[in-house]
Amino acid sequence: MKFVIIGISDNPNPWFPPEVMEIIKQGKVFSGGKRHHEIMAPFLSEDAEWIDITVPLDAVFHNYQLSIARSSYARLLPRGRKNCQSIIVFASGDPLFFGFANTIRRKMPEADIVVYPTFNSLQMLAHRLVIPYHDMRIVSLTGRPWPEFDRALIERAPKIGILTDREHTPAAIARRMLDYGYTSYIIYIGEHLGNPEKERITKMTLEEAARSTFALPNCVIAVANSHFSLFTSHFRYGIPDSAFTLLDGREKMITKMPIRLLTLQALDLPHRHTLWDIGFCTGSISIEARLLFPHLHIEAYEIRPECEAIMEENCRRLGAPGINIHIGDFRSVGCDGVAAPDAVFIGGHGGHLKEIMAKVRQHLAPGGCIVMNSVTVLSGRAIADSRRLFEEACQELGLRLLPATHIVLNDNNPIDILKCELPL
């Protein structure tokens, strides 16, 4: 199957070079969004077939196959080969820039694709503003969740270009930036770019954008202002314990900063994809990991419902968006649909360590690790029960136990950082 993908803007009277006009003139099967159909309808013949691009996309590709199968273009040529005629697709901007050409390549890797791009919306917005965009961090929120945008904020990108949709609007983007303390930005919003009658470009503070509405389609460029200094910049490596809101003000209910950093080292997070933090309490492990390794996908579990508000408050005050919170007994919390971990920290187990490790073992990716901190009680047994249970669970579950790290912090009891791995 052959696709010719033609990029267009929001201009209701588009111009095409002669080569593209000839392709449109000869075409019989066309496709695109409803807005694209409205723009291109005057260019199409009366007998042209139009296939709307709507979700679910599997239905769209099925319609493509049906259309070609019944098309007169699928006849055999004298040489015995099929004439692979094209479906002509209209897409916004550059079809290879988070566009439909990438979807076709993923769905039909054997398809023959020809692309005729135009400027994408972020390029047009940068052109209107005369802002260089070679150094702009690009994030698409069109049909996508927040993680890549969150990562751009955490990594303090000074210039972020954002593709939006009906859910991830400029107002929603501004509110998220305000919620997590990323306030050192101004934003530019481009609406109906390329449409001479409807195009509008607005410069706003985050507060102004958060309470405004904007016409679709639109896009956003966020630019750090001259006072680009984030609250979290003071906590770039090793967040002070005093920065966290604690559970009932109890200082012992947090993994202390030096131990926390050694724990993150044991988890080997630069090379991991998904972290499960079981028994998060104040969220110190999850938040430190999120800020130091923003590529991570983090799922945080806690049995105490009051810890949810504490975690959310700490995430906001320390600028750590994107941590998924689960409240309830980990042993009974459903994990279907949750990304499988390749790193797990067990911060609390409530006397059910073996059961928790058994459940983790069911989901842990090969080569993944489990880390736990065990307090050695000086006045009692030489080795705490939690270490013994951890070692027994490793043997029973086929996990490879690694050497422990023994550390004494100030006048506190010694701590063993325990680690095991699931063999590849």
Side-chain angles (χ1 to χ4, degrees), residues 95-110:
L96 287 169
F97 182 78
F98 297 99
F100 197 64
N102 300 318
T103 304
I104 295 174
R105 291 182 65 190
R106 185 178 68 253
K107 293 277 190 180
M108 305 181 71
E110 301 302 320

Side-chain angles (χ1 to χ4, degrees), residues 288-331:
E288 188 88 62
R290 184 71 176 137
L291 295 179
L292 291 178
F293 309 102
H295 71 281
L296 279 177
H297 182 93
I298 301 179
E299 305 286 344
Y301 298 85
E302 175 57 54
I303 194 171
R304 290 164 291 202
E306 61 269 30
C307 289
E308 182 172 14
I310 294 172
M311 167 71 101
E312 290 176 347
E313 178 181 347
N314 285 329
C315 284
R316 281 177 166 78
R317 71 189 299 187
L318 297 171
I323 296 172
N324 297 321
I325 301 172
H326 308 268
I327 298 298
D329 190 332
F330 176 77
R331 294 173 298 164

Side-chain angles (χ1 to χ4, degrees), residues 23-66:
I23 291 171
I24 295 172
K25 181 180 178 180
Q26 297 296 326
K28 292 296 182 181
V29 182
F30 300 88
S31 185
K34 291 183 178 180
R35 183 172 60 89
H36 301 136
H37 194 187
E38 293 173 359
I39 293 172
M40 294 307 304
F43 293 84
L44 308 182
S45 62
E46 292 184 0
D47 61 345
E49 178 185 357
W50 183 274
I51 300 173
D52 277 324
I53 297 177
T54 57
V55 292
L57 289 178
D58 286 345
V60 176
F61 281 87
H62 180 67
N63 288 335
Y64 288 162
Q65 293 172 332
L66 289 178

Side-chain angles (χ1 to χ4, degrees), residues 40 61 63 67 120 142 162 192 245 247 272 354 375 382 406 415:
M40 294 307 304
F61 281 87
N63 288 335
S67 179
N120 65 62
T142 305
I162 309 156
H192 288 292
T245 295
L247 176 62
R272 307 294 181 179
K354 284 191 174 183
V375 178
H406 187 74
I415 290 176

